[in-house]
Amino acid sequence: MNDLYDEFSSACQFPLYFGENLMAFDECLSSLDNQDPGKGIALIVVEPDQILMNSPKLEIELELFLSCLINAATEWGEKIDLGEWWDRPALPFHMILVGTQKQLDAVSSKWRNAKSNLTIDGLTLIQT
Protein backbone atom coordinates (compact mmCIF):
# COMPACT_ATOMS: atom_id res chain seq x y z
CA MET A 1 0.00 0.00 0.00
CA ASN A 2 2.92 2.36 0.63
CA ASP A 3 3.86 2.33 -3.06
CA LEU A 4 0.23 2.99 -3.99
CA TYR A 5 0.09 5.94 -1.56
CA ASP A 6 3.34 7.35 -2.98
CA GLU A 7 2.15 7.14 -6.59
CA PHE A 8 -1.28 8.65 -5.95
CA SER A 9 0.12 11.30 -3.62
CA SER A 10 2.57 12.43 -6.27
CA ALA A 11 0.14 12.27 -9.21
CA CYS A 12 -2.74 13.96 -7.38
CA GLN A 13 -0.52 16.40 -5.50
CA PHE A 14 -1.86 15.43 -2.08
CA PRO A 15 -0.98 17.99 0.62
CA LEU A 16 2.32 17.67 2.50
CA TYR A 17 0.48 16.52 5.62
CA PHE A 18 -0.82 13.39 3.82
CA GLY A 19 -0.34 10.64 6.40
CA GLU A 20 0.24 7.71 4.00
CA ASN A 21 -2.45 5.53 5.54
CA LEU A 22 -5.82 4.33 4.34
CA MET A 23 -7.90 6.97 6.12
CA ALA A 24 -5.70 9.81 4.84
CA PHE A 25 -5.72 8.34 1.31
CA ASP A 26 -9.51 8.12 1.34
CA GLU A 27 -9.84 11.69 2.65
CA CYS A 28 -7.35 13.23 0.22
CA LEU A 29 -8.78 11.41 -2.81
CA SER A 30 -12.28 12.49 -1.84
CA SER A 31 -11.40 16.16 -1.42
CA LEU A 32 -8.24 17.06 -3.39
CA ASP A 33 -8.29 20.30 -1.37
CA ASN A 34 -5.41 21.97 -3.14
CA GLN A 35 -6.63 21.18 -6.66
CA ASP A 36 -9.14 22.87 -8.95
CA PRO A 37 -11.38 20.01 -10.10
CA GLY A 38 -12.70 21.99 -13.06
CA LYS A 39 -15.57 20.00 -14.54
CA GLY A 40 -14.61 16.73 -12.87
CA ILE A 41 -11.83 14.35 -11.91
CA ALA A 42 -10.20 11.91 -14.33
CA LEU A 43 -7.38 9.74 -13.02
CA ILE A 44 -5.43 8.00 -15.77
CA VAL A 45 -3.51 4.93 -14.65
CA VAL A 46 -0.82 3.52 -16.93
CA GLU A 47 0.22 -0.09 -16.24
CA PRO A 48 -2.79 -0.69 -13.97
CA ASP A 49 -1.81 -4.34 -13.54
CA GLN A 50 1.00 -3.12 -11.25
CA ILE A 51 -1.41 -1.76 -8.63
CA LEU A 52 -0.82 -3.77 -5.45
CA MET A 53 0.95 -6.43 -7.54
CA ASN A 54 3.49 -7.24 -4.81
CA SER A 55 1.03 -7.03 -1.95
CA PRO A 56 1.06 -10.03 0.42
CA LYS A 57 -2.53 -9.08 1.37
CA LEU A 58 -3.75 -8.49 -2.20
CA GLU A 59 -7.42 -9.36 -1.73
CA ILE A 60 -7.87 -7.24 1.40
CA GLU A 61 -5.86 -4.28 0.14
CA LEU A 62 -7.53 -4.36 -3.27
CA GLU A 63 -10.95 -4.26 -1.60
CA LEU A 64 -9.82 -1.28 0.53
CA PHE A 65 -8.41 0.52 -2.51
CA LEU A 66 -11.62 -0.01 -4.49
CA SER A 67 -13.65 1.18 -1.50
CA CYS A 68 -11.66 4.42 -1.51
CA LEU A 69 -12.32 4.90 -5.23
CA ILE A 70 -16.03 4.33 -4.77
CA ASN A 71 -16.11 6.68 -1.80
CA ALA A 72 -14.31 9.37 -3.82
CA ALA A 73 -16.76 8.97 -6.72
CA THR A 74 -19.67 9.25 -4.28
CA GLU A 75 -18.22 12.33 -2.56
CA TRP A 76 -17.41 14.11 -5.82
CA GLY A 77 -20.85 13.21 -7.17
CA GLU A 78 -22.59 15.16 -4.40
CA LYS A 79 -23.22 18.89 -4.72
CA ILE A 80 -21.87 21.08 -1.91
CA ASP A 81 -24.03 24.14 -1.38
CA LEU A 82 -23.37 25.57 2.09
CA GLY A 83 -22.70 29.18 1.16
CA GLU A 84 -18.96 28.64 1.70
CA TRP A 85 -15.90 29.15 -0.48
CA TRP A 86 -15.63 25.39 -1.03
CA ASP A 87 -19.13 25.04 -2.51
CA ARG A 88 -19.18 23.22 -5.84
CA PRO A 89 -21.57 21.40 -8.15
CA ALA A 90 -21.69 17.61 -8.27
CA LEU A 91 -18.75 16.46 -10.37
CA PRO A 92 -17.89 13.20 -12.14
CA PHE A 93 -14.98 11.11 -10.88
CA HIS A 94 -13.42 8.68 -13.35
CA MET A 95 -10.48 6.31 -13.33
CA ILE A 96 -9.21 5.38 -16.78
CA LEU A 97 -6.94 2.36 -17.10
CA VAL A 98 -4.45 2.34 -19.96
CA GLY A 99 -2.41 -0.69 -20.95
CA THR A 100 -1.99 -3.66 -23.25
CA GLN A 101 -4.91 -6.03 -23.73
CA LYS A 102 -3.16 -8.55 -21.47
CA GLN A 103 -2.75 -5.95 -18.70
CA LEU A 104 -6.35 -4.77 -19.02
CA ASP A 105 -7.73 -8.31 -18.99
CA ALA A 106 -5.75 -9.10 -15.83
CA VAL A 107 -6.91 -5.93 -14.08
CA SER A 108 -10.52 -6.33 -15.15
CA SER A 109 -10.61 -9.88 -13.87
CA LYS A 110 -8.78 -9.08 -10.63
CA TRP A 111 -10.86 -6.01 -9.81
CA ARG A 112 -14.21 -7.51 -10.74
CA ASN A 113 -13.47 -10.64 -8.70
CA ALA A 114 -12.26 -8.82 -5.60
CA LYS A 115 -13.90 -10.49 -2.64
CA SER A 116 -16.17 -7.69 -1.59
CA ASN A 117 -19.67 -6.35 -1.88
CA LEU A 118 -18.47 -3.73 -4.35
CA THR A 119 -19.85 -3.28 -7.81
CA ILE A 120 -17.59 -1.74 -10.42
CA ASP A 121 -19.66 0.10 -12.99
CA GLY A 122 -18.32 1.47 -16.22
CA LEU A 123 -14.76 0.15 -15.92
CA THR A 124 -13.00 2.00 -18.75
CA LEU A 125 -10.25 0.06 -20.49
CA ILE A 126 -8.08 1.63 -23.19
CA GLN A 127 -5.74 -0.65 -25.09
CA THR A 128 -2.32 0.70 -26.05
Side-chain angles (χ1 to χ4, degrees):
M1 290 294 282
N2 289 335
D3 291 341
L4 182 129
Y5 297 147
D6 288 344
E7 292 295 325
F8 273 80
S9 175
S10 177
C12 296
Q13 294 295 290
F14 287 171
L16 294 176
Y17 60 80
F18 170 59
E20 295 197 19
N21 60 61
L22 187 66
M23 289 177 64
F25 178 72
D26 187 48
E27 180 181 330
C28 287
L29 196 59
S30 294
S31 65
L32 297 173
D33 288 337
N34 59 342
Q35 302 295 320
D36 177 4
K39 294 186 179 192
I41 305 294
L43 301 176
I44 300 171
V45 178
V46 179
E47 297 182 344
D49 60 321
Q50 297 302 307
I51 293 177
L52 300 172
M53 180 56 103
N54 297 320
S55 172
K57 301 175 186 175
L58 175 64
E59 288 182 13
I60 294 168
E61 290 181 342
L62 181 58
E63 182 176 339
L64 294 171
F65 170 67
L66 294 174
S67 293
C68 289
L69 292 177
I70 289 170
N71 186 51
T74 300
E75 290 289 324
W76 284 104
E78 294 177 2
K79 178 181 179 180
I80 299 176
D81 189 13
L82 302 171
E84 299 290 342
W85 65 268
W86 60 79
D87 287 358
R88 62 164 175 74
L91 297 170
F93 179 93
H94 301 284
M95 176 172 274
I96 301 166
L97 308 179
V98 180
T100 65
Q101 189 62 50
K102 183 178 177 180
Q103 290 170 321
L104 299 176
D105 288 345
V107 169
S108 179
S109 176
K110 183 169 55 171
W111 288 22
R112 289 183 192 280
N113 293 320
K115 291 186 177 181
S116 68
N117 294 325
L118 304 175
T119 301
I120 301 172
D121 293 323
L123 183 60
T124 303
L125 306 173
I126 299 175
Q127 183 176 352
T128 57

